[in-house]
Amino acid sequence: MEKRYFTDYSYYVGRDMTWHVHGSAGRIVIALPSQGDRCWDYENNGMVAALAPWIERGEIMLVCADGADDLICPQVGRGSRSGSLALESYYNYILRELMPMARRLNPAAPEKMLITGCSLGGGMAADVFFRKPERFSGVIALSGWYRASLLFGDYTDDLTYQNSPAEFLLHLPAGDSRRALYAQSKIYLCCGQGSGEEALLPQLDAMQAALEQQNIPAVVDRWGWDVNHDWYWWQKQIVYFMEKALQ
């Protein structure tokens, strides 16, 4: 399997960001890291191996993004403007810097990318997708968050609202062009019900309620009580949903 490693300075994050690419052809899949992880942890924890059949057949080019936990995570639980700005900076890095660089490596790829992630990365993947559905064929969010309040508590501002799809979807205007794009997309949101998933299940409930209120088609899946917040289960989930997302 072809692997390439890159390090580029990010204007938005304000430092060098490293990213890994597995494969060179097919639909571009952006994978965002979980909390505390970097771009190589997706490979180190078996996710690249789980997706290897699609990569080796040239069906996907997997782009593993770097994290920005040193900016975002110190703000978790103590909401502040600096925290919401950090989250927005990472959003802009993914959308405005990483994705164009990935496109240049694979210009023949389908126009729309797929985005995925686990835990912190799962919530960020959903955030990016629901804000910019014109850029994506779909999203696979595993054990994700959908309200910025999980990160920043009671603190709110314009950016926490923009980064809370379970909230801004509730107020989606009837004539918003994103409605048609959501309907054309493949949306998979999944969470286990075992250890470590307790705080994320209410997030999934809120997101499902927003989707249903707006009649946005999506697969919202709750796996069993033995399904914990860990890589073993995310490996199984990514295989299950990737097969559907690429059909």
Side-chain angles (χ1 to χ4, degrees), residues 23-206:
S24 59
R27 189 176 298 278
I28 298 170
V29 178
I30 304 293
L32 306 185
S34 61
Q35 185 171 339
D37 285 339
R38 300 287 303 276
C39 54
W40 47 78
D41 288 287
Y42 215 73
E43 180 177 12
N44 291 346
N45 288 288
M47 298 296 277
V48 174
L51 294 171
W54 289 283
I55 298 170
E56 292 171 350
R57 290 195 298 263
E59 295 177 20
I60 67 171
M61 185 182 87
L62 183 66
V63 177
C64 298
D66 212 348
D69 283 12
D70 58 324
L71 299 178
I72 300 170
C73 290
Q75 310 300 331
V76 171
R78 55 187 189 102
S80 67
R81 182 65 174 178
S82 60
S84 61
L85 286 170
L87 193 62
E88 185 71 5
S89 295
Y90 189 64
Y91 163 83
N92 281 307
Y93 164 70
I94 297 300
L95 194 76
R96 305 179 189 280
E97 295 182 321
L98 180 63
M99 289 174 60
M101 289 188 292
R103 171 70 62 191
R104 287 194 287 272
L105 293 179
N106 185 4
E111 179 183 359
K112 293 187 175 184
M113 301 183 188
L114 180 67
I115 191 164
T116 187
C118 312
S119 191
L120 185 68
M124 201 69 216
D127 183 26
V128 175
F129 167 78
F130 282 103
R131 289 177 68 177
K132 287 291 182 181
E134 66 270 22
R135 303 286 297 275
F136 300 97
S137 64
V139 58
I140 303 172
L142 308 177
S143 302
W145 53 272
Y146 307 106
R147 288 172 167 165
S149 59
L150 185 69
L151 304 178
F152 304 125
D154 294 333
Y155 175 81
T156 60
D157 61 24
D158 59 319
L159 295 180
T160 62
Y161 176 77
Q162 290 181 42
N163 287 291
S164 299
E167 295 177 13
F168 72 68
L169 284 177
L170 290 173
H171 307 287
L172 192 68
D176 196 304
S177 62
R178 288 176 292 183
R179 288 182 177 275
L181 295 169
Y182 294 146
Q184 298 165 8
S185 301
K186 297 192 174 183
I187 302 171
Y188 302 102
L189 312 179
C190 181
C191 189
Q193 299 181 76
S195 176
E197 301 281 54
E198 298 86 356
L200 299 169
L201 283 167
Q203 296 278 316
L204 188 64
D205 293 342

